């Protein structure tokens, strides 16, 4: 039973990260019917921005201290209060930078192709993905970089620790926040309207470029948060770190029903838990096999995914 | 025996003398023999000198150079009337460049042997060129088992192979009192081989393997596996794989409360292992081919000579290179007792035969080769992370 | 001349070799109900698409309140006061009826995403206002009872009316209705006629495309007739009804009588 709870905790933590990344895929798909393959790189870039801003605030041999701002570093790393402020700054800064990068990519690589055949933006996305990976490879480092170990990890037994709680709680808050944004706010309604009928939305006075830009800000910003979690949780970042989590998160989005936000969240947590349980009770080698087998079974019975739109239409 | 050798030597010297005259008379220069009856043969040294692992390349070059200088000065060489000349070839650690270097080297008809290359990726394609040309090759640093398993005659090495690391690790683990192990690999040929050999040897030597499991070299999440391992409570966790995924595994093991150290092969003995795993790396073990040179009793004289000659301490590969060059030269002397010229087909045959059967006390231990051309002197060392650094563990200290 | 609410001058659009709308001059004045008719493929919907910014005219100009709207994005034109419905209904199917109408309201409000997310008092007040306005427009088209139902689950006639409510919610000066009576039964058509009158009475100018001659003759004050992209006739229903070019366009040569009968039926009720 102890082991079961521990594996569940492992799975939920992993699932929270998948869910955050999956939202980026599903948001873009919902609005543009496009699979943004560069989204995995948003996760990676977010992790790097987080890494360097965290180093700037906390590493005595790097960043702020070398500029004569040791006092600031001491404030941030010296107390719980300082740490909270530091992490808040790091997450928000990384989210904004990555979000802006997402908007830039949309503007440069996708918008010119919006009316092109659907394969064109897909190829463009793969191009962006390769470009970003290589940019980090060449300009930052080809090797894995250790993530600053400044988060105070306190163990509570059953494999539960303060970092896992932080990741899961923050993920859930962000998921609820996004759900509220989309279901309750003006921008969210505009996003839903745009995803359902872009032309009609425009004629109702909705600036779809703005809505799409917002989508390309929100998705990468959440991806960046997941990237920082990934760095904190596993202790390292590397230029190609986005690839597998990206594929898993995309799978989660499809499992839940691509285009459906709650589906992406559900899919993310499900996938994380399935992987952990399989690795924990069957075999590590089978975790992907089982995860994808479940995906295929779900798609056979519900082609639109668990909460997908085709299901809604049938109801 | 001695008499016979003396007679042969004399005959050889006479023949060389006559031949030298004949050649000088013809104005030819195919043979570099000097007028005083001494034959000079070429030994190539091929390694990365300007790109890639240049530090190891430098060690290899100097080791060979010291060996040639020492040997040329010895009675053994003088009595045989043979001298050696060194020619360098810079392969930049690159397979294609290595083939070009090999072709350039064998175009010298006086070349009888090559010390090199360093990278397995360079040694394997180059070995074909040497073998075809009848030139022997002794690698001081290529550890990939495939090098000597291509069925090519004349390919040798003085360093141990990767596949010995698993069994050596198992022996070390048991010597240190770790009797139960969990064995994990990363599903790559390297990692899988290492882990399989470790597990087999560990059980054969009396240890108990509690669990084996496969991961992938691209995995980052090992939490579920770590939780499982914590339930097994092993003495040691063996990881067959590379440092980047393995370091994350080591960290997650510690996070999951596994106190047992991780052991791996040379793939994890990197500073990055310590940087990425952080405090969790402390106490982890790695085996590696070769040994720090000052830990070998047989190398004491060599270490002093080397430092006198080059003003810098000898590296591991300078010792393997020294022994590689010595093996070629000693074999050359032996072979030259039987044939007039080592550059003739019969001479090359004789040299190969002599090298296959060579046995002498080198700086890294007793040098001899098995039927594949691998050294019988298999040195695998153990390292441990102490205070954020990989530190050599003296085998004598393990009990 | 510039006092017209909407005025097209030589508006032309070509798709490759096809001239879909050819040098069309037309205008709509404030408070009018104007109809645009013509056979299938005459270019009526294309003309609406130019007017609302979906297509950009190849040549010519379209003025709204005296200023050119050519080349402006659809959402900009919508904000300037032109709204529309569609021949094939284009509601947001997965939003409720009231949410569809609220979408129409949103561009007339100011609150940003953050304000809305954190429910600041002004944002809350504005949201309540949007809700109230949307309810008002639902009531206007007679759909108060189905406010919270998904748009896609409504009956066809109700969907048509919901589309009109959504368009009205943008507070347009000009509403363009693309075949509002299509697919409606006589009862619904009669209600629609009344609704169009009420829209005009509410101060919104109406410009509609319609196939149902009965509807056109009953409610339109002026009619433009397009055929193969060209404007072939204009005037009051009576004038157009008796125009031989119109009759020919509709039914070809030799079918005059039939057309006249058809138009007469529509005209009788007027």
């Amino acid at each position: 039973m102890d082991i079961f709870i521990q594996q569940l905790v492992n799975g939920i933590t992993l699932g929270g990260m998948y869910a955050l990344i999956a939202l980026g895929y599903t948001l873009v798909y919902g609005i543009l019917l496009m699979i943004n393959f560069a989204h995995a790189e948003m996760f990676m870039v977010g992790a790097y921005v987080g890494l360097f801003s965290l180093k700037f605030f906390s590493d005595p041999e790097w960043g702020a201290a070398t500029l004569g701002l040791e006092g600031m570093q001491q404030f941030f790393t010296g107390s719980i209060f300082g740490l909270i402020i530091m992490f808040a700054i790091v997450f928000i800064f990384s989210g904004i930078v990555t979000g802006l990068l997402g908007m830039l990519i949309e503007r440069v690589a996708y918008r010119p192709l919006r009316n092109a055949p659907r394969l064109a933006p897909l190829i463009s996305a793969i191009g962006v993905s390769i470009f970003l990976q290589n940019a980090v490879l060449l300009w930052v480092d080809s090797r894995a970089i250790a993530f600053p170990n400044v988060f105070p990890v306190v163990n509570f037994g059953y494999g539960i620790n303060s970092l896992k709680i932080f990741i899961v709680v923050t993920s859930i808050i962000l998921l609820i926040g996004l759900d509220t944004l989309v279901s309750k706010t003006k921008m969210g309604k505009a996003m839903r309207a745009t995803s359902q009928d872009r032309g009609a939305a425009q004629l109702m006075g909705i600036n779809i470029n703005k809505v799409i830009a917002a989508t390309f800000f929100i998705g990468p910003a959440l991806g960046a948060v997941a990237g920082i979690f990934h760095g904190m949780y596993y202790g390292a970042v590397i230029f190609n770190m986005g690839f597998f989590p990206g594929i898993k998160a995309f799978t989660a989005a499809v499992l839940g029903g691509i285009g459906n936000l709650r589906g992406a969240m559900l899919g993310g947590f499900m996938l994380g838990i399935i992987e952990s349980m399989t690795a924990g009770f069957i075999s590590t080698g089978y975790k992907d096999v089982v995860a994808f087998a479940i995906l295929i079974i779900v798609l056979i019975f519900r082609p639109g995914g668990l909460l997908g739109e085709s299901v809604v239409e049938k109801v | 025996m001695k008499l016979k050798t003396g007679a042969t030597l004399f005959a050889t010297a006479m023949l060389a003398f006559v031949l030298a005259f004949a050649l000088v008379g013809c104005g030819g220069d195919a043979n570099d023999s000097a007028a005083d009856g001494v034959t000079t043969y070429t030994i190539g040294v091929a390694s990365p000198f300007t790109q890639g692992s240049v530090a190891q390349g430098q060690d290899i070059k100097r080791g060979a150079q010291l060996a040639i200088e020492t040997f040329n000065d010895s009675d053994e060489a003088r009595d045989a009337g043979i001298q050696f000349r060194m020619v360098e070839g810079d392969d930049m650690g690159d397979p294609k460049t290595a083939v070009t270097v090999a072709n350039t080297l064998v175009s010298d008809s006086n070349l009888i042997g090559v010390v090199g290359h360093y990278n397995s990726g360079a040694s394997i394609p180059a070995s074909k060129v040497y073998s075809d040309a009848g030139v022997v090759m002794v690698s001081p640093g290529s550890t990939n088992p495939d090098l000597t398993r291509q069925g090519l005659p004349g390919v040798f090495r003085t360093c141990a192979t990767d596949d010995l690391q698993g069994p050596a690790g198992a022996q070390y683990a048991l010597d240190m009192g770790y009797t139960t192990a969990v064995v994990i690999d990363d599903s790559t040929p390297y990692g899988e081989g290492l882990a399989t050999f470790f597990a087999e040897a560990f059980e054969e030597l009396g240890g108990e393997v509690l669990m084996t499991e496969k991961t992938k070299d691209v995995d980052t999440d090992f939490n579920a596996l770590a939780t499982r391992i914590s339930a097994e409570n092993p003495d040691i966790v063996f990881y067959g794989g590379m440092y980047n995924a393995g370091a994350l595994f080591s960290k997650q093991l510690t996070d999951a409360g596994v106190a047992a150290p991780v052991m791996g092969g040379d793939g994890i003995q990197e500073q990055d292992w310590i940087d990425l795993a952080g405090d969790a790396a402390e106490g982890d073990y790695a085996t590696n081919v070769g040994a720090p040179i000052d830990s070998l009793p047989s190398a004491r004289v060599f270490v002093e000579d080397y430092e006198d000659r080059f003003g810098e301490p000898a590296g591991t590969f300078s010792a393997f290179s020294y022994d590689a060059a010595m093996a070629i030269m000693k074999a050359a002397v032996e072979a030259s007792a039987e044939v007039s010229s080592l550059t003739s087909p019969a001479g090359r045959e004789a040299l190969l035969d002599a090298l296959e059967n060579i046995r002498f006390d080198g700086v890294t231990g007793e040098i001899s080769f098995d039927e594949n051309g691998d050294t019988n002197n298999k040195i695998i060392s153990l390292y441990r992370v102490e205070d954020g650094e990989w530190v050599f563990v003296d085998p004598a200290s393990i009990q | 001349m510039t006092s017209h609410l909407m005025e097209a001058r030589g508006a032309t659009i070509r798709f490759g070799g096809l001239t879909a709308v050819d040098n069309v001059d037309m205008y709509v004045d404030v408070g009018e109900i104007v109809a645009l008719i013509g056979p299938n493929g005459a270019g009526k919907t294309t003309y609406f698409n130019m007017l609302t910014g979906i297509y950009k005219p190849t040549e010519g100009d379209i003025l709204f309140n005296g200023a050119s709207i050519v080349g402006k994005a659809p959402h900009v034109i919508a904000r300037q006061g032109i709204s529309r419905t569609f021949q094939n209904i284009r509601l947001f199917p997965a939003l409720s009826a009231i949410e569809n109408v609220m979408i129409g309201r949103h561009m007339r409000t100011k609150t940003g995403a953050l304000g809305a997310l954190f429910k600041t008092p002004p944002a809350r007040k504005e949201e309540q206002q949007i809700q109230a306005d949307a309810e008002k427009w639902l009531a206007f088209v007679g759909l108060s009872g189905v406010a919270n139902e998904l748009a896609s689950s409504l009956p066809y006639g109700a969907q048509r009316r919901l589309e009109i409510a959504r368009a009205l919610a943008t507070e347009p000066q000009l509403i363009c209705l693309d075949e509002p009576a299509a697919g409606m039964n006589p009862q619904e058509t009669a209600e629609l006629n009344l609704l169009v009158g009420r829209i005009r009475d509410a101060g919104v100018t109406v410009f509609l495309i319609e196939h149902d001659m009965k509807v056109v003759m009953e409610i339109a004050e002026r009619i433009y007739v397009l055929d193969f992209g060209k404007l072939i006739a204009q005037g009051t229903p009576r004038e157009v009804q008796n125009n031989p070019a119109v009759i020919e366009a509709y039914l070809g040569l030799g079918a005059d009588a039939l057309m006249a009968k058809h138009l007469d039926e529509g005209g009788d009720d007027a």
Side-chain angles (χ1 to χ4, degrees):
Chain A
M1 193 62 197
D2 282 11
I3 296 288
F4 181 83
I5 293 170
Q6 286 187 39
Q7 299 295 21
L8 193 63
V9 170
N10 290 334
I12 291 171
T13 314
L14 187 61
M17 286 187 270
Y18 285 161
L20 283 177
I21 310 169
L23 287 174
Y25 283 107
T26 227
L27 273 173
V28 169
Y29 186 85
I31 287 182
L32 290 178
L33 292 184
M34 173 198 146
I35 297 162
N36 179 17
F37 276 116
H39 186 60
E41 267 47 70
M42 300 291 93
F43 162 81
M44 180 271 291
V45 168
Y48 271 87
V49 175
L51 166 84
F52 288 118
S53 42
L54 206 54
K55 268 182 171 249
F56 181 80
F57 290 131
S58 66
D59 188 338
E61 288 166 22
W62 210 94
T66 60
L67 300 173
L69 297 169
E70 295 92 341
M72 185 182 80
Q73 287 197 343
Q74 272 156 23
F75 165 72
F76 281 138
T77 53
S79 66
I80 290 290
F81 180 66
L83 281 172
I84 291 170
I85 293 181
M86 179 176 72
F87 276 106
I89 294 173
V90 166
F91 276 100
I92 291 168
F93 176 73
S94 176
I96 289 174
V97 169
T98 313
L100 292 176
L101 179 67
M103 284 167 71
L104 178 74
I105 290 167
E106 190 274 325
R107 186 71 192 82
V108 175
Y110 305 151
R111 194 181 297 180
L113 300 172
R114 203 177 286 163
N115 297 316
R118 278 172 68 182
L119 211 50
L122 201 73
I123 300 299
S124 186
I126 292 171
V128 169
S129 170
I130 294 171
F131 172 82
L132 288 173
Q133 276 198 29
N134 284 283
V136 173
L137 171 79
L138 292 171
W139 298 333
V140 184
D141 206 332
S142 61
R143 301 175 357 143
I145 304 178
F147 214 80
N149 196 11
V150 287
F151 189 90
V153 177
V154 183
N155 284 302
F156 302 111
Y158 292 111
I160 301 170
N161 65 33
S162 50
L163 179 59
K164 287 178 184 172
I165 292 173
F166 173 69
I167 289 174
V168 172
V169 170
T170 315
S171 299
I172 290 173
I173 290 173
L174 287 171
L175 299 181
I176 292 172
L178 183 71
D179 195 70
T180 311
L181 180 91
V182 170
S183 60
K184 297 277 158 54
T185 70
K186 180 176 147 186
M187 175 52 86
K189 281 205 196 79
M191 287 167 82
R192 285 192 290 156
T194 306
S195 82
Q196 290 170 34
D197 190 330
R198 204 191 297 170
Q202 262 184 309
L203 292 163
M204 291 306 119
I206 292 170
N207 183 346
I208 58 157
N209 282 334
K210 230 169 155 178
V211 171
I212 291 169
T215 309
F216 272 92
F217 180 89
I218 296 168
L222 294 175
V225 172
I228 301 174
F229 284 160
H230 195 273
M232 289 165 68
Y233 192 44
Y234 300 119
V237 297
I238 189 163
F239 72 95
N240 60 5
M241 66 186 276
F243 188 72
F244 281 95
I247 286 186
K248 295 288 174 56
F250 176 66
T251 308
V254 174
L255 182 65
I258 191 145
N260 184 306
L261 290 182
R262 289 179 191 175
M265 300 175 198
L266 176 71
F269 281 109
M270 264 185 71
L271 196 66
I273 293 168
I274 291 168
E275 273 191 21
S276 282
M277 290 298 171
T278 312
F281 294 104
I282 303 172
S283 165
T284 310
Y286 281 106
K287 67 178 183 185
D288 296 339
V289 178
V290 172
F292 282 94
I294 289 178
L295 174 75
I296 290 167
I297 292 166
V298 166
L299 291 185
I300 287 170
F301 291 102
R302 285 177 172 255
L306 289 171
L307 306 179
E309 276 171 10
S310 59
V311 181
V312 172
E313 275 170 17
K314 274 182 202 150
V315 166
Chain B
M1 186 72 188
K2 208 161 187 133
L3 195 80
K4 194 189 166 213
T5 313
T8 325
L9 264 175
F10 178 76
T12 314
M14 280 304 290
L15 206 93
F17 189 76
V18 171
L19 228 131
F21 255 98
L23 284 169
V24 168
C26 298
D29 59 356
N31 201 311
D32 220 354
S33 307
D36 57 1
V38 172
T39 314
T40 303
Y41 293 111
T42 309
I43 291 181
V45 178
S47 274
F49 298 135
T50 57
Q51 266 183 51
S53 310
V54 292
Q56 287 86 342
Q58 168 100 319
D59 282 355
I60 287 167
K61 183 169 81 183
R62 287 176 170 178
Q65 191 181 344
L66 185 62
I68 291 171
E69 286 169 8
T70 310
F71 194 78
N72 279 346
D73 228 18
S74 69
D75 293 342
E76 207 176 345
R78 274 201 217 99
D79 293 348
I82 297 181
Q83 291 286 291
F84 296 94
R85 185 171 74 87
M86 185 173 95
V87 175
E88 295 168 26
D90 177 11
D91 69 18
M92 301 182 190
D94 169 58
K96 271 193 236 125
T97 315
V99 171
T100 311
V101 164
N103 279 311
T104 311
L105 289 174
V106 300
S107 69
D108 177 350
S109 59
N110 269 335
L111 181 84
I112 55 160
V114 172
V115 176
H117 298 218
Y118 170 67
N119 305 83
S120 295
S123 288
I124 292 173
S127 61
K128 177 93 171 69
V129 178
Y130 300 130
S131 189
D132 288 350
V135 171
V136 296
M137 153 182 180
V138 185
S139 172
S142 297
T143 55
N144 187 323
D146 290 345
L147 173 62
T148 50
R149 286 165 209 178
Q150 306 172 89
L152 295 175
V155 182
F156 302 85
R157 69 178 128 209
T158 49
C159 58
T161 49
D162 288 334
D163 53 356
L164 299 172
Q165 290 191 54
Q171 183 66 60
Y172 280 128
L174 288 163
D175 287 350
M176 290 185 291
Y178 301 121
T179 55
T180 57
V182 163
V183 181
I184 308 296
D185 74 63
D186 69 352
S187 304
T188 63
Y190 166 77
E192 207 172 57
L194 197 57
T196 309
F197 285 124
F198 174 89
E200 280 172 8
F202 194 74
E203 295 214 299
E204 232 164 70
L205 295 168
E208 190 192 350
V209 176
L210 302 172
M211 164 184 155
T212 58
E213 186 64 284
K214 290 194 168 306
T215 62
K216 292 197 197 76
D217 57 338
V218 291
D219 277 350
T220 48
D221 187 88
F222 302 98
N223 283 301
L225 179 60
T227 301
R228 256 171 86 196
I229 293 172
S230 74
E232 297 283 351
N233 197 22
D235 291 342
I236 195 162
V237 178
F238 190 84
Y239 179 74
M242 299 298 290
Y243 66 90
N244 32 17
L248 304 187
F249 174 55
S250 175
K251 183 175 186 290
Q252 289 167 48
L253 274 180
T254 307
D255 289 348
V258 177
V262 174
M263 178 185 272
D266 58 326
I268 75 163
Q269 200 212 338
E270 299 278 344
Q271 186 57 37
D272 277 7
W273 175 274
I274 298 161
D275 292 345
L276 297 179
D279 294 341
E282 207 62 22
D284 286 349
Y285 293 99
T287 55
N288 208 336
V289 174
I293 196 67
D294 38 13
S295 72
L296 296 172
S298 55
R300 248 164 235 151
V301 179
F302 166 77
V303 168
E304 278 169 30
D305 287 353
Y306 188 96
E307 200 153 357
D308 285 349
R309 174 70 179 80
F310 301 109
E312 274 175 43
T316 303
F317 292 105
S318 40
F320 285 121
S321 174
Y322 184 95
D323 283 346
M326 275 299 176
I328 295 172
M329 294 186 291
K330 283 178 185 292
V333 166
E334 253 178 57
S336 66
E338 289 159 33
V339 292
S340 54
S341 167
L342 295 179
T343 54
S344 67
R348 294 191 184 280
E349 195 66 38
L351 174 64
L352 176 59
D353 196 47
L355 194 52
E356 277 170 355
N357 297 305
I358 201 97
R359 182 180 294 271
F360 67 98
D361 288 325
V363 301
T364 59
E366 192 190 64
I367 306 300
S368 63
F369 300 105
D370 66 14
E371 68 279 8
N372 288 324
D374 288 334
T375 179
N376 288 316
N377 175 40
K378 302 173 196 301
I379 303 178
I380 304 281
S381 307
L382 185 67
Y383 298 82
R384 180 170 50 212
V385 180
E386 284 172 16
D387 299 326
E389 259 180 80
W390 284 106
V391 177
F392 174 70
V393 182
D394 191 349
S397 72
I398 296 173
Q399 262 330 314
Chain C
M1 279 296 271
T2 48
S3 64
H4 298 307
L5 177 62
M6 186 284 293
E7 183 186 5
R9 292 178 185 167
T12 301
I13 187 163
R14 293 190 194 92
F15 299 107
L18 174 79
T19 306
V21 174
D22 192 357
N23 197 21
V24 166
D25 291 326
M26 65 172 76
Y27 67 89
V28 176
D29 280 330
V30 174
E32 280 191 298
I33 297 178
V34 178
L36 179 60
I37 67 169
N40 279 328
K44 304 182 301 288
T45 297
T46 306
Y47 183 79
F48 263 29
N49 284 343
M50 281 200 294
L51 185 56
T52 51
I54 295 173
Y55 296 148
K56 189 183 169 190
T58 318
E59 280 164 32
D61 204 357
I62 299 174
L63 305 178
F64 187 65
N65 280 324
S68 176
I69 53 170
V70 169
K72 288 191 171 158
H75 70 271
V76 175
I77 294 174
R79 286 169 193 203
Q80 286 187 358
I82 302 181
S83 189
R84 72 175 286 184
T85 65
F86 299 87
Q87 190 176 349
N88 46 336
I89 299 172
R90 288 175 69 177
L91 288 162
F92 304 118
L95 297 185
S96 68
I98 194 154
E99 279 179 324
N100 265 281
V101 181
M102 286 164 84
I103 290 284
R105 288 299 309 147
H106 275 139
M107 71 180 195
R108 300 292 175 209
T109 58
K110 295 184 292 292
T111 310
L114 282 179
L117 192 57
F118 294 110
K119 296 211 187 303
T120 55
R124 196 174 299 199
K125 201 176 157 205
E126 195 176 77
E127 193 66 24
Q128 282 166 355
Q129 187 59 46
I130 291 172
Q131 180 93 20
D133 286 344
E135 280 165 9
K136 182 186 84 185
W137 287 117
L138 276 182
F140 187 83
V141 300
L143 290 174
S144 292
V146 294
N148 293 318
E149 293 193 18
L150 281 186
S152 55
S153 69
L154 295 178
Y156 184 79
Q159 290 196 14
R160 283 247 174 250
R161 280 182 288 149
L162 178 57
E163 230 193 349
I164 293 172
R166 183 179 69 174
L168 287 171
T170 67
E171 293 177 13
Q173 290 171 271
L174 177 64
I175 185 167
C176 302
L177 306 175
D178 197 344
E179 297 200 27
M184 283 187 169
N185 62 34
Q187 160 83 33
E188 287 172 328
T189 307
E191 283 172 18
L192 178 77
N193 288 352
L194 291 174
L195 178 59
V196 171
R198 280 166 50 223
I199 292 171
R200 193 257 304 272
D201 295 343
V204 180
T205 305
V206 178
F207 191 17
L208 76 159
I209 295 173
E210 191 47 73
H211 262 319
D212 189 335
M213 285 307 146
K214 219 172 154 185
V215 173
V216 173
M217 292 304 150
E218 193 172 322
I219 62 176
E221 289 157 355
R222 286 195 299 119
I223 297 176
Y224 286 102
V225 187
L226 277 182
D227 188 28
F228 291 110
K230 287 196 172 68
L231 193 60
I232 57 166
Q234 56 176 301
T236 62
R238 190 56 61 183
E239 284 163 9
V240 168
Q241 196 171 6
N242 297 321
N243 188 322
V246 176
I247 295 164
E248 188 185 316
Y250 263 82
L251 294 160
L253 289 167
D256 303 28
L258 195 63
M259 180 64 189
K261 184 174 178 288
H262 183 74
L263 289 175
D264 271 340
E265 277 174 13
D268 284 347
D269 295 341

